[in-house]
Amino acid sequence: MATTLSLFWNLSSASKKERISATVRLVNSLEKFQEQHTPKPEVSPGSEDDEENVGSTDGLDVLNAHDVAYSIRRLIRGLASPRESSRLGFSVALTELLSRLDTVTSAQVISIIVDGSKIQGSMTGQEERDVLFARLFGLATIIHSGLLVRQTPLSTSPSSATNSSSLESYKELVNHLLVLAEKKSWLRECTWWTIGQAIDAVIKSSVSWKEEALASTLEVVYEREKNIWTPETVAITLKLQPAMPKHDWKKTLAPTFKDSAILASANFSSLGRILKETPGDDEWQQSNTGTWKAQLHYVWNIIFDGFLPESEPERRRNALFQEFFRVVVDETLFGASSSPERKFWGFLVFKKALRRVDGTDIPMLFTKNFMRSWINHLSNKDRHLHKISLDVVKDIQDFVQQNPQLGYTLILQLTGIHGSQQFDKLTKTKTVESILSRMDGDGIMQYIQSLLEQMDESDNGAVAEEAKKIWIVDQFTALVRNGAIPKREDWIQLILNWFAVQGLYLVKRKSAKGLLAALRVTPSSVLSEDFRRICRGKLLGCLADLTPSTASQKGDMPKEGTVDDEFWISKVFTVVNHLDKDSKHVTSLSEPSQEEQLLLQQAYKTIEHLRQVDGKMREAARGVELLLSASLLQRRCANLDDDELDAGILEASVSFTVYRINLIVVMIQTCIAAAATMFSTDNKSKNRRKSHTISQPDSDSPKPIDMLVDVLIGFLEKSTSYLRAMANKSFSCIASAATETTIDLIVAQLERRNPADLVADEEDETESATSEEEDDDDAESSDEDNESDLDDNEAALELRMKIEDALKANGAEAAIGDTDEESEEEPVDDEQMMAIDEHLAEVFRSRSGDSKQNVNAQREATHFKNRVLDLVDIFTRRMPQSPHNLRLVLPLIELATKSGNDERQLSDKARGILNNRLAKLKDPLQEVDQDYAETILDELHIRARKAHSSDALATLSHCSLFICRVLTNVGCEKTVLRLYKESLADFMTRKASSLNITFFKDFVTRYPALGWRLRDDVLDTSPKAINAYRKCQAFQLLNTILTLSTSAGDSQDVLSFILKLHTSVLHFIDSACDDQVSLSAAQIKDLFKLVMLGVRQASKLDNSNQNVWDSEAWRTLHGRLVASKRFAVLSSGIGPTSPTQQTTQFDSIKKEGRGSRR
């Protein structure tokens, strides 16, 4: 007994692992005891038993060991224990023990369980609850252990005819469970579930009394629940019908059900009312009684097993389940009169069905009422069922993650007839987007094909059809722009081709067998000009998003830099060339003139030539090809957009239109000329491979790389994502060919200009473009150019003249010097005053309009500079070792330190390039201009001495360290030290200096060897400090130098400097005691720390210390500090012996210093 008592305690542990471990040890021990037990020949009624035993009348002691019989009784009693997890642990142990024993009968155990779980009148509510659960768990252990249907007789029974189970014990167990189900409503469901487990055990067994047991169950269940159908009786019926096919089920189920098979379609309406659990029409009264639970009834699992069995796929009844789901779930649980509680159950049923149905049957779950309720509750987080609706979204996402091939089917349902094309917008979620990101390439292609097929479908009304087409275009764009969607060349190419066809061409007829898939599916109706303009815009936008990526062969898109990589815009041009020649199926919307055709032919030849460039210039050739292709496509789209303007708009903006088109043509011509000059071909032999080199242009003509960068800058002036992406990508390819003039050209765009000049320049450009078309207007254009150069005084004079004209026009005279003093003033009436007010208001409105125009011009200039900074960032990232990086420092400093509040983003971006790119370059620059680097460092220090903010000073410090690294790499330390010495003198002697101690500490930390060479200058300059605080900061800098830089100097020099430093500190503290300078106790403490650091550094260099130095000065200082009221606290912290110890080390230092001087 003593070996098993200790094992019962852990059965109540809250840890599942401990409970299982205790169960294993207990059962194994009891098995050993039972093997060693010898059965008693007979039971002695008067035998003594353990006081814990219930008694000998249960018969357990006849065939079982004493420990086994005690353990059975103890485990049954423990089922009623409220301690922690006793009920779980004891029931598991009892189940396992009964499954291994063949010396007990089910009738014996049932009797012990019933006797030990009787309710008495003196019990509290909690005690009654524990007893009822004890009976339920105890009867369940009989079923789960298999004892209920065990056919083997007792192994050591005196009578071999005694069986472990019987029909009577089964009936007794079912009756006890039925009585238990009626005691408490919260016990009903779990008790009936246990009855179902008993029925399953009988059905699966081969006992001789199976039919009698099922018949008795049928009789007692339907007699007790006569004419009252509940989900529990439905569950029992579903279990009994397959096991009792000969029974007259039609009579049993009548009149509630029409068909004898309870899962027949004729019974679905009745099933829906039963499973909804609302007996009356007042559903809300039923749902508010407190009996509703957030979990589904267990009958739903049985129903799903009947329709969609997981273990037997051949028995699945998908068609019947579709009807069941429509009637019972959609029309009942999601009906218009259903309460939120029933709809909550409906969502749970949907989640359960989603894991059961096949992929082909997914659409049957997205029914009308379900979709309506789901969308409504997803759209607002204040809805009752918003959380469960989000859970449904999460389950769908997980389902697509496991089955990506079914994502297309789900999207069709969400955007189909019962859903909405704007599903994500209505529900304020990213459900469709997340499903697309989890789909594979085949699913994306299917989705695109379905969208293209919808273009052929004609809706009622032109407005609805146009809206659907625009929605389809938006879906295509979302597929390309969503970075989470796996990109594949085939469907991306299909989308781009479709945009090109619809935006640039008029389709005559479809090409069913053509190579171009975009011509196989085209809209049946005529497209509007607005829709074509949208397609062109989406084409350019998609190319902008795809430009950082490249595609090579079918399959997933490879990373940039592969051998066969090709820009997407090049693929689009291949398609455009093919369509231009296909006059049978398409017609171009824009017919180029003869001059434009010659230009296009020349551009195409240049592109073919660039594709043949190899070697080191291959990357630059690709950049020029991209730039030329982007210009050609931009010109084609711009021509079409200008042709679509109506007559009034075209007449008002003719000058700007001509200017823009001519500018694009000039860009194309510039690219062709630069490519011809930049890449020359040496054809010495037709059989030899072509060699491409960069030709050297004339000194007077601009360099080809500068011409290309000028075109890129022209791209950046237009605030479109397409031109910006093309410019950035092209420059990243040609950055290796940049020269000093190229960087100067980029930097020139970052200079600050007057907003009025910006507006005047735009007007000048437009006017100059117009003058090229109209030669007769040269004089007028010249006059307007001169007017754009008016200064502020002339503008004020013009405003005054306008005011005077307004006054004269209404009979009033301005107070000017040439007026006739003798003339009589005529009075001005109210009407004239009103007219004057209107004229003056008009004058000032025009003035305000000019001011707004200046503000807009300044804003556009800021955005333009922001885009130019992208080129700077690209250059520093692609060419980190280029000496041209030095030419970027001062212009970026100008932006980072002198930009206004409205240019905060610009200054932050410039500061980020300086701090994160240039200041953190790992590799040294190559072929640096030493004089230019010294000039930059000098300018940086001059600016640092006058910096207006700590952020600006920190940026200047980082740049200074970067230039110091450049100069030290070429052996120019003297200039670095000279400039830092000058800045140190400015910091110490000038009160208005903007420098701080961090500026010098960063230098010492980064370059300890150079910092050591500044030691004497710091110490010599400290007496000249403007105040005591600056002098203390000088000693702080010396502390940093001693900590980091002593290893860079000679030992004798270090000892001599430490002695000199101690003398300076001693005199400084003496002056503080004499009240010549004002020092705080904390400052003096820091000075003593510096002295002790010198002592430690000296002891590391020479340990042979001898007390040869007169330490009287330090003893005197100690006495003065003790006597001082100001420093009393500090002197008490020093202690009487510390100065003596310090002076001992100082004496040794002095000796070493004298020896070095000798």
Side-chain angles (χ1 to χ4, degrees):
M1 182 70 67
T3 57
T4 59
L5 284 177
S6 60
L7 301 178
F8 285 95
W9 181 260
N10 286 335
L11 293 178
S12 302
S13 174
S15 173
K16 180 180 179 181
K17 184 178 181 180
E18 291 183 5
R19 294 198 305 269
I20 294 177
S21 178
T23 299
V24 172
R25 292 198 301 270
L26 176 63
V27 174
N28 290 338
S29 300
L30 294 177
E31 275 190 315
K32 294 179 180 178
F33 289 143
Q34 187 63 27
E35 291 175 357
Q36 301 171 1
H37 174 66
T38 303
K40 296 179 180 181
E42 59 182 355
V43 180
S44 176
S47 62
E48 297 181 357
D49 205 351
D50 189 85
E51 61 182 1
E52 295 292 335
N53 293 345
V54 177
S56 59
T57 56
D58 53 21
L60 291 179
D61 295 327
V62 176
L63 302 178
N64 298 285
H66 181 69
D67 290 298
V68 175
Y70 169 80
S71 297
I72 293 175
R73 299 186 186 101
R74 174 74 180 270
L75 291 173
I76 292 175
R77 290 199 304 271
L79 295 176
S81 174
R83 187 171 68 89
E84 291 186 354
S85 302
S86 297
R87 193 169 293 117
L88 295 176
F90 279 76
S91 63
V92 171
L94 181 61
T95 301
E96 186 65 21
L97 181 60
L98 293 180
S99 65
R100 299 190 184 187
L101 292 178
D102 55 357
T103 55
V104 294
T105 62
S106 58
Q108 286 179 313
V109 180
I110 291 174
S111 176
I112 297 173
I113 292 172
V114 173
D115 292 340
S117 58
K118 291 182 179 179
I119 299 177
Q120 300 179 4
S122 60
M123 288 184 175
T124 63
Q126 180 62 37
E127 292 174 345
E128 182 180 356
R129 177 180 178 275
D130 293 335
V131 169
L132 293 176
F133 271 118
R135 177 171 294 188
L136 176 62
F137 274 74
L139 297 177
T141 58
I142 300 175
I143 301 172
H144 296 153
S145 63
L147 183 60
L148 182 64
V149 291
R150 189 177 299 166
Q151 302 182 50
T152 57
L154 300 184
S155 59
T156 55
S157 173
S159 174
S160 60
T162 304
N163 292 325
S164 301
S165 63
S166 63
L167 177 61
E168 289 73 17
S169 62
Y170 171 80
K171 291 181 179 180
E172 183 181 4
L173 181 140
V174 172
N175 288 328
H176 283 305
L177 289 174
L178 290 174
V179 173
L180 186 63
E182 299 298 329
K183 287 187 176 293
K184 299 292 181 181
S185 60
W186 40 267
L187 274 176
R188 179 179 179 85
E189 183 176 342
C190 54
T191 305
W192 278 91
W193 178 83
T194 307
I195 295 175
Q197 295 295 307
I199 295 174
D200 290 338
V202 172
I203 293 175
K204 294 178 182 179
S205 68
S206 57
V207 293
S208 57
W209 40 269
K210 178 191 295 186
E211 295 183 0
E212 292 83 351
L214 296 178
S216 65
T217 304
L218 181 66
E219 181 181 357
V220 68
V221 167
Y222 290 105
E223 283 295 331
R224 186 180 295 270
E225 300 288 337
K226 191 174 183 180
N227 297 328
I228 300 178
W229 282 88
T230 62
E232 291 80 13
T233 52
V234 173
I236 297 299
T237 305
L238 289 173
K239 289 180 177 294
L240 291 178
Q241 271 197 342
M244 303 177 66
K246 298 180 180 180
H247 180 73
D248 187 5
W249 286 104
K250 187 173 183 179
K251 180 180 179 181
T252 304
L253 301 181
T256 305
F257 297 99
K258 300 178 181 179
D259 197 288
S260 58
I262 194 170
L263 292 183
S265 58
N267 299 334
F268 288 164
S269 179
S270 301
L271 269 178
R273 291 194 299 270
I274 296 172
L275 297 179
K276 195 176 181 182
E277 299 188 34
T278 53
D281 295 333
D282 191 358
E283 180 184 348
W284 283 98
Q285 182 180 0
Q286 180 70 15
S287 62
N288 291 332
T289 58
T291 59
W292 179 82
K293 294 187 303 181
Q295 295 80 25
L296 276 179
H297 197 281
Y298 74 91
V299 69
W300 288 98
N301 293 326
I302 303 175
I303 292 174
F304 275 98
D305 290 337
F307 283 117
L308 307 171
E310 296 179 341
S311 58
E312 302 178 24
E314 65 278 359
R315 292 183 55 248
R316 299 173 69 90
R317 296 182 286 178
N318 297 324
L320 191 60
F321 178 75
Q322 180 178 358
E323 180 67 14
F324 169 82
F325 192 87
R326 183 186 64 82
V327 176
V328 178
V329 180
D330 190 63
E331 296 180 359
T332 305
L333 296 181
F334 287 109
S337 61
S338 292
S339 65
E341 290 84 355
R342 270 48 186 184
K343 291 180 180 179
F344 184 90
W345 281 350
F347 285 123
L348 294 180
V349 174
F350 174 86
K351 295 174 63 177
K352 187 181 293 293
L354 186 63
R355 296 188 292 268
R356 289 286 194 106
V357 298
D358 296 331
T360 56
D361 299 325
I362 287 290
M364 70 181 179
L365 301 181
F366 295 87
T367 50
K368 179 180 179 180
N369 294 331
F370 162 75
M371 291 296 295
R372 185 191 69 249
S373 300
W374 188 32
I375 293 175
N376 289 340
H377 288 282
L378 270 179
S379 60
N380 193 344
K381 61 182 179 181
D382 295 333
R383 300 281 184 132
H384 291 20
L385 304 179
H386 180 73
K387 188 174 181 180
I388 185 64
S389 300
L390 290 178
D391 290 342
V392 173
V393 172
K394 188 178 297 183
D395 283 5
I396 291 177
Q397 293 172 350
D398 295 340
F399 179 79
V400 178
Q401 187 74 34
Q402 299 174 1
N403 307 277
Q405 70 279 3
L406 299 179
Y408 165 68
T409 305
L410 287 172
I411 289 182
L412 289 184
Q413 302 308 314
L414 299 184
T415 59
I417 184 173
H418 294 150
S420 173
Q421 292 179 346
Q422 305 294 335
F423 184 87
D424 284 355
K425 185 177 181 180
L426 288 177
T427 60
K428 301 176 184 178
T429 62
K430 295 184 178 180
T431 308
V432 175
E433 182 178 343
S434 62
I435 292 176
L436 287 172
S437 63
R438 289 169 169 81
M439 291 168 55
D440 55 5
D442 294 335
I444 298 293
M445 179 59 78
Q446 290 180 355
Y447 178 56
I448 294 174
Q449 293 291 352
S450 67
L451 293 176
L452 292 176
E453 292 174 359
Q454 294 182 33
M455 294 293 294
D456 281 337
E457 300 175 1
S458 58
D459 297 334
N460 295 329
V463 177
E465 187 174 354
E466 186 77 6
K468 184 182 70 172
K469 292 177 182 178
I470 295 176
W471 174 80
I472 292 175
V473 169
D474 292 337
Q475 297 305 304
F476 287 158
T477 308
L479 289 175
V480 175
R481 291 182 175 177
N482 192 343
I485 297 177
K487 301 296 187 296
R488 207 170 69 177
E489 180 182 356
D490 52 356
W491 64 262
I492 293 179
Q493 187 70 61
L494 177 59
I495 291 177
L496 295 179
N497 294 347
W498 192 84
F499 280 148
V501 170
Q502 308 306 327
L504 303 177
Y505 297 93
L506 179 63
V507 180
K508 296 180 180 179
R509 60 178 181 175
K510 298 180 181 180
S511 177
K513 298 181 180 180
L515 297 177
L516 194 59
L519 288 177
R520 301 174 191 169
V521 182
T522 57
S524 56
S525 59
V526 178
L527 299 179
S528 64
E529 296 301 334
D530 292 337
F531 181 77
R532 295 187 185 276
R533 187 184 302 109
I534 291 175
C535 289
R536 288 192 293 271
K538 297 297 184 181
L539 174 63
L540 299 180
C542 290
L543 288 174
D545 294 326
L546 293 171
T547 296
S549 302
T550 54
S552 59
Q553 53 188 0
K554 280 194 173 183
D556 294 338
M557 290 177 58
K559 294 182 179 180
E560 186 176 359
T562 55
V563 179
D564 298 329
D565 54 354
E566 184 181 2
F567 291 118
W568 284 108
I569 192 170
S570 300
K571 292 180 174 292
V572 171
F573 258 98
T574 303
V575 174
V576 170
N577 292 335
H578 173 74
L579 292 174
D580 287 338
K581 300 174 184 178
D582 188 7
S583 60
K584 180 179 179 181
H585 299 94
V586 295
T587 301
S588 178
L589 295 176
S590 63
E591 294 296 335
S593 63
Q594 186 175 1
E595 295 180 356
E596 291 178 343
Q597 288 180 356
L598 294 176
L599 182 62
L600 292 177
Q601 292 176 4
Q602 188 177 4
Y604 291 150
K605 290 180 180 179
T606 304
I607 292 175
E608 292 297 328
H609 171 66
L610 292 172
R611 291 178 178 178
Q612 297 175 5
V613 177
D614 55 4
K616 296 181 179 180
M617 296 303 299
R618 171 59 184 161
E619 187 70 12
R622 293 182 69 248
V624 179
E625 177 190 350
L626 175 63
L627 183 59
L628 184 56
S629 301
S631 302
L632 291 173
L633 186 59
Q634 176 68 15
R635 171 212 150 270
R636 190 155 187 170
C637 293
N639 286 344
L640 289 174
D641 293 339
D642 295 330
D643 292 341
E644 292 170 4
L645 296 174
D646 55 36
I649 299 177
L650 186 60
E651 183 178 359
S653 60
V654 61
S655 57
F656 175 73
T657 300
V658 174
Y659 162 70
R660 183 172 65 170
I661 295 178
N662 289 341
L663 179 61
I664 298 175
V665 173
V666 170
M667 288 181 177
I668 297 174
Q669 293 173 347
T670 303
C671 291
I672 295 174
T677 308
M678 190 173 183
F679 304 97
S680 62
T681 305
D682 186 12
N683 295 326
K684 294 183 179 181
S685 175
K686 294 183 178 180
N687 298 328
R688 292 182 181 180
R689 186 177 181 179
K690 294 181 179 180
S691 61
H692 302 273
T693 59
I694 298 181
S695 62
Q696 300 297 331
D698 298 335
S699 58
D700 296 336
S701 61
K703 298 179 181 179
I705 183 64
D706 296 347
M707 298 167 62
L708 294 174
V709 171
D710 187 62
V711 174
L712 295 178
I713 294 173
F715 274 20
L716 296 180
E717 291 178 352
K718 309 303 177 184
S719 57
T720 63
S721 60
Y722 167 73
L723 294 178
R724 183 177 182 179
M726 296 302 166
N728 292 339
K729 184 60 181 179
S730 299
F731 184 73
S732 66
C733 295
I734 64 176
S736 58
T739 61
E740 291 184 2
T741 56
T742 307
I743 301 301
D744 293 340
L745 178 61
I746 295 175
V747 166
Q749 313 305 316
L750 301 176
E751 297 176 355
R752 296 181 61 86
R753 299 178 62 186
N754 190 357
D757 295 339
L758 297 175
V759 178
D761 289 344
E762 292 180 359
E763 294 176 354
D764 292 344
E765 291 174 351
T766 305
E767 291 166 3
S768 61
T770 307
S771 64
E772 294 177 0
E773 299 296 328
E774 301 176 0
D775 297 334
D776 296 337
D777 297 336
D778 291 341
E780 180 182 356
S781 176
S782 177
D783 294 339
E784 293 177 356
D785 290 341
N786 294 331
E787 292 177 2
S788 65
D789 297 329
L790 292 175
D791 54 9
D792 295 338
N793 294 330
E794 292 174 344
L797 181 59
E798 181 183 0
L799 176 62
R800 182 171 180 175
M801 292 176 62
K802 290 182 179 179
I803 295 175
E804 292 176 359
D805 293 340
L807 293 174
K808 291 179 180 180
N810 293 276
E813 192 73 25
I816 56 179
D818 57 352
T819 57
D820 189 0
E821 295 179 359
E822 298 179 356
S823 61
E824 297 181 358
E825 296 183 358
E826 297 181 0
V828 181
D829 57 10
D830 292 341
E831 294 182 359
Q832 289 178 327
M833 288 297 298
M834 293 295 295
I836 292 174
D837 290 342
E838 292 179 1
H839 282 80
L840 291 178
E842 183 65 27
V843 171
F844 286 110
R845 271 198 298 268
S846 63
R847 183 69 173 174
S848 176
D850 295 339
S851 176
K852 291 181 179 179
Q853 190 175 10
N854 292 338
V855 172
N856 293 334
Q858 180 63 33
R859 186 181 297 110
E860 290 297 328
T862 302
H863 294 327
F864 169 69
K865 292 179 182 179
N866 197 9
R867 293 190 286 269
V868 173
L869 283 180
D870 290 338
L871 300 184
V872 176
D873 184 60
I874 291 171
F875 183 79
T876 56
R877 180 162 27 93
R878 294 298 299 269
M879 304 298 296
Q881 294 181 287
S882 174
H884 305 321
N885 284 316
L886 291 178
R887 311 188 75 84
L888 300 173
V889 175
L890 292 180
L892 292 178
I893 286 292
E894 190 76 15
L895 284 179
T897 58
K898 294 187 178 181
S899 297
N901 294 330
D902 56 341
E903 298 177 332
R904 183 65 180 271
Q905 183 182 5
L906 192 64
S907 61
D908 291 344
K909 193 168 186 177
R911 189 179 297 111
I913 296 175
L914 289 171
N915 296 336
N916 301 326
R917 295 291 184 196
L918 295 178
K920 294 183 179 180
L921 291 178
K922 297 181 180 180
D923 300 325
L925 302 185
Q926 299 175 352
E927 301 177 0
V928 176
D929 185 352
Q930 180 177 336
D931 295 336
Y932 184 68
E934 292 177 357
T935 304
I936 295 177
L937 185 60
D938 190 15
E939 180 66 22
L940 290 176
H941 279 255
I942 293 174
R943 291 173 181 256
R945 296 163 196 165
K946 301 178 182 179
H948 299 293
S949 65
S950 58
D951 292 338
L953 183 60
T955 302
L956 290 168
S957 176
H958 292 159
C959 295
S960 176
L961 296 176
F962 165 63
I963 302 300
C964 289
R965 181 183 181 187
V966 173
L967 291 175
T968 54
N969 288 333
V970 296
C972 190
E973 294 87 355
K974 293 183 179 180
T975 303
V976 176
L977 290 174
R978 177 180 60 81
L979 290 174
Y980 269 94
K981 289 177 183 179
E982 294 176 359
S983 297
L984 181 63
D986 181 84
F987 170 66
M988 299 299 297
T989 60
R990 192 167 65 90
K991 186 176 182 180
S993 177
S994 298
L995 295 170
N996 55 26
I997 194 63
T998 307
F999 183 85
F1000 302 99
K1001 284 184 177 180
D1002 291 343
F1003 174 72
V1004 174
T1005 304
R1006 182 72 64 87
Y1007 305 104
L1010 295 179
W1012 175 250
R1013 295 168 65 177
L1014 281 177
R1015 67 192 187 282
D1016 292 327
D1017 297 278
V1018 177
L1019 191 58
D1020 295 340
T1021 312
S1022 61
K1024 304 176 184 178
I1026 194 67
N1027 51 38
Y1029 178 73
R1030 291 280 176 92
K1031 192 170 184 178
C1032 289
Q1033 285 189 319
F1035 286 116
Q1036 291 179 15
L1037 181 60
L1038 289 174
N1039 193 332
T1040 305
I1041 293 175
L1042 283 178
T1043 304
L1044 301 175
S1045 307
T1046 53
S1047 59
D1050 182 73
S1051 59
Q1052 297 300 327
D1053 293 339
V1054 173
L1055 292 174
S1056 300
F1057 175 71
I1058 292 176
L1059 182 60
K1060 182 179 178 182
L1061 173 63
H1062 285 187
T1063 303
S1064 179
V1065 173
L1066 179 63
H1067 292 164
F1068 189 38
I1069 300 178
D1070 274 336
S1071 62
C1073 294
D1074 294 336
D1075 292 334
Q1076 297 178 6
V1077 294
S1078 178
L1079 293 180
S1080 64
Q1083 289 174 331
I1084 293 182
K1085 188 175 181 181
D1086 291 337
L1087 292 174
F1088 275 118
K1089 289 180 180 179
L1090 175 60
V1091 173
M1092 293 306 301
L1093 176 62
V1095 172
R1096 288 192 296 268
Q1097 295 289 354
S1099 63
K1100 292 179 182 178
L1101 297 175
D1102 189 358
N1103 293 325
S1104 59
N1105 295 326
Q1106 297 180 5
N1107 190 9
V1108 296
W1109 181 30
D1110 186 7
S1111 58
E1112 188 62 29
W1114 286 99
R1115 289 193 180 95
T1116 303
L1117 176 62
H1118 178 261
R1120 298 185 65 181
L1121 290 174
V1122 172
S1124 174
K1125 295 182 179 180
R1126 252 179 96 186
F1127 308 118
V1129 178
L1130 179 63
S1131 61
S1132 63
I1134 295 176
T1137 59
S1138 298
T1140 304
Q1141 297 174 356
Q1142 295 175 9
T1143 54
T1144 300
Q1145 297 175 349
F1146 295 159
D1147 292 341
S1148 177
I1149 295 171
K1150 181 177 179 182
K1151 179 181 177 182
E1152 296 294 335
R1154 289 174 178 173
S1156 63
R1157 286 194 294 272
R1158 294 194 189 100

